[in-house]
Structures are given as structure tokens and as C-alpha cells.
Amino acid sequence: MVDKYTHDLGRKGARWEEVKRLVFATQTHCWRCGRYVDQSLPPNDRMSRTVGHVVALADGGRPLDLDNLRLEHRSCNSKAGRAMQARLRRSESL
Ligand SMILES: [Zn+2]
């Protein structure tokens, strides 16, 4: 699926691990909901940390540019992902 491919693009490799570490080390709050992110939570927790893109990759956002990366909750990330999928589906049906 094209959307899934775009989403995963840039989310792997040594450079991605590096920028992810930098985001985790320098940011403390989720940029989507503004609340504190507890970085000690296990990865399967809904409120655990993850890194999101300010400009979505599907919109041409740069996947490995620190300026385009923000700390966010896993749940906030998946909510945004679903909104993006819905928006793409709408634009495809036009
Ligand atoms: Zn959040």
C-alpha cells in the first residue's frame, strides 16, 4: 500500500536511530497535545514516547530533518495517522 510505504520511509536505518535519540534527549513534551511524555513507559504503552513528523511525509515532509521531528505520544501519533489516512481517502475520491 502506498500510504504505508510513505509512512515507513525514513523510519529506519542508522540516521533515523540517531535523530530519534536526539529528539528523545532534547524534548520532554508531546507537540500534538502539549502534555509531558513519560519516556520510561514501555513501547507497547499508548502513552509511551515516539517521534512524529510536523509536516507528514505524505505531504512532502523531510523524514530525517530534525526541524521536522517532534516528540509525541504513541496514541497521539496513531490518531494523527488515522486522520491522515482519512484525508488521503477523501482526496482520492474527488
Ligand atoms: Zn500527546
Side-chain angles (χ1 to χ4, degrees):
M1 206 165 101
V2 176
D3 298 344
K4 178 70 181 152
Y5 177 76
T6 309
H7 183 73
D8 286 346
L9 204 69
R11 283 176 180 258
K12 49 177 81 88
R15 175 65 184 153
W16 170 242
E17 294 301 323
E18 186 189 337
V19 291
K20 212 165 54 166
R21 253 199 314 276
L22 277 168
V23 169
F24 289 153
T26 57
Q27 299 181 27
T28 55
H29 286 65
C30 172
W31 73 283
R32 293 192 192 275
C33 71
R35 282 180 294 179
Y36 179 73
V37 178
D38 185 347
Q39 298 202 35
S40 66
L41 290 171
N44 60 346
D45 192 292
R46 288 180 68 255
M47 298 308 277
S48 68
R49 67 182 187 180
T50 188
V51 175
H53 296 97
V54 178
V55 180
L57 304 188
D59 288 334
R62 306 232 295 271
L64 299 174
D65 187 344
L66 263 182
D67 288 341
N68 195 36
L69 299 172
R70 294 289 186 278
L71 180 68
E72 65 186 17
H73 296 110
R74 193 163 290 282
S75 67
C76 291
N77 176 276
S78 57
K79 248 179 276 173
R82 279 196 299 278
M84 170 66 71
Q85 296 290 329
R87 193 159 64 80
L88 287 172
R89 271 197 301 278
R90 273 199 303 278
S91 63
E92 276 162 13
S93 63
L94 285 177

